Amino acid sequence: MRVVIHATAEAAGLAAADLIARKIQQRPRAVLGLATGSTPLAVYRELARRHREEGLDFSQVTTFNLDEYVGLPGTHPQSYRYFMEEHLFRHLNVRPERTHVPDGRALDFDRHCESYERQISQAGGIDLQLLGIGTDGHIAFNEPGSSLGSRTRVKTLAGETIRDNARFFGGEDQVPRMAVTMGVGTILDSRQCLLLALGEHKARAIRDTVEGPVTAQVTASALQLHRDVVVILDEAAASLLARREYYDQVERVRQELELAQADRAVR
Ligand code: GLP
């Protein structure tokens, strides 16, 4: 895991957006895995700005979102489809038929989940998966205890997640109890993962994810098994990491190497 710590949440968000933008520049037909929540908002603002002001082109990009609440139609203001339209898709030139969010109102969830997995494979797999993290260490809606080999399916939300999300719904009793979510195994199949975490309330989950054992009790810890993961943090989210100095050292060495390479290229 590469752990990159930025002084502020804003800088961390910009760095994540930069990584995604570079992927699209290298590979215009990139398949992106996208996340919802407050964490990616700054990333999406920056991607929209780059499209508007710098012509970053999404016309050939395909997207797959991680999850959706069961029971909410895409027109519901708290649905993840609505979130994506509002905060990202309508600001880009991405083709609507290339954006995928699981359907919270599917008639047959087993079939819907199988078809979501199939669509990901048919698109060639996910090149870069953006992830946030729940305070209980979940990725997507893979709550503690989820199989680390799980695929897209319906999951029951944990009490901690319902409490965390109550603010968006005007009370705990309004939060849906279930969600359709990519599995941990689905996420691990992505070619690269980018985990973004901001704020002190994520510090414990990040410590457990990066420095704890791989365990289904903290599903984000499964990312330790992935060969290409970048964890981008602000200072607050990094505050409980024991090996902080080492992560900074690795980044310094990387930067020196990049500078030396750029210097050789110029000569
Ligand atoms: C939900 C989503 C996750 C997200 C998490 C954190 O549980 N399913 O994908 O990472 O919320 O949300 P926030 O970024 O608002 O803290």
Side-chain angles (χ1 to χ4, degrees), residues 34-41 66-69 80 130-136 138-143 157 161 164-165 167-168 179 181 195-196 198 201-202:
L34 298 177
T36 48
S38 42
T39 308
L41 283 174
L66 288 167
D67 45 15
E68 179 61 283
Y69 289 112
Y80 285 165
L130 175 63
L131 297 161
I133 189 167
T135 54
D136 62 5
H138 71 230
I139 41 175
F141 269 130
N142 293 288
E143 297 288 24
L157 304 189
T161 303
D164 285 349
N165 290 342
R167 64 189 196 280
F168 300 114
T181 178
L195 173 63
L196 177 64
L198 309 172
H201 61 303
K202 298 293 173 70

Side-chain angles (χ1 to χ4, degrees), residues 24-243:
I24 296 167
Q25 279 155 353
Q26 283 160 8
R27 192 169 153 73
R29 297 180 64 86
V31 178
L32 301 179
L34 298 177
T36 48
S38 42
T39 308
L41 283 174
V43 179
Y44 295 158
R45 262 197 307 276
E46 174 64 7
L47 289 176
R49 188 198 67 76
R50 289 206 188 192
H51 169 65
R52 197 173 57 244
E53 294 176 14
E54 297 169 15
L56 182 64
D57 182 18
F58 288 79
S59 62
Q60 298 182 72
V61 167
T62 299
T63 70
F64 286 93
N65 262 77
L66 288 167
D67 45 15
E68 179 61 283
Y69 289 112
V70 165
L72 300 195
T75 49
H76 189 290
Q78 295 309 330
S79 75
Y80 285 165
R81 164 55 80 176
Y82 189 92
F83 176 102
M84 292 308 298
E85 296 292 340
E86 272 305 292
H87 296 290
L88 190 66
F89 299 151
R90 74 187 182 90
H91 305 284
L92 308 176
N93 63 336
V94 65
R95 284 170 51 185
E97 67 276 19
R98 291 215 176 125
T99 68
H100 304 84
V101 180
D103 181 0
R105 302 247 291 186
L107 291 176
D108 179 339
F109 278 107
D110 286 348
R111 277 183 62 179
H112 179 58
C113 294
E114 270 171 37
S115 124
Y116 203 68
E117 290 276 337
R118 209 168 32 245
Q119 283 178 296
I120 295 173
S121 320
Q122 283 168 354
I126 292 171
D127 292 307
L128 174 58
Q129 175 67 58
L130 175 63
L131 297 161
I133 189 167
T135 54
D136 62 5
H138 71 230
I139 41 175
F141 269 130
N142 293 288
E143 297 288 24
S146 294
S147 155
L148 300 185
S150 51
R151 313 302 305 187
T152 303
R153 73 223 180 284
V154 172
K155 276 299 289 185
T156 300
L157 304 189
E160 193 170 338
T161 303
I162 291 173
R163 279 191 293 281
D164 285 349
N165 290 342
R167 64 189 196 280
F168 300 114
F169 286 88
E172 273 182 41
D173 54 337
Q174 303 295 311
V175 184
R177 273 13 195 189
M178 292 187 290
V180 194
T181 178
M182 278 189 204
V184 180
T186 320
I187 293 167
L188 291 180
D189 281 350
S190 311
R191 281 184 272 282
Q192 188 179 30
C193 292
L194 164 55
L195 173 63
L196 177 64
L198 309 172
E200 207 182 335
H201 61 303
K202 298 293 173 70
R204 187 178 51 102
I206 285 299
R207 181 198 57 200
D208 293 349
T209 297
V210 176
E211 296 179 341
V214 174
T215 167
Q217 295 308 312
V218 179
T219 53
S221 68
L223 294 170
Q224 292 178 28
L225 300 170
H226 193 284
R227 60 196 286 184
D228 193 353
V229 178
V230 186
V231 181
I232 298 185
L233 306 171
D234 65 356
E235 284 287 349
S239 58
L240 294 178
L241 291 174
R243 293 174 63 78

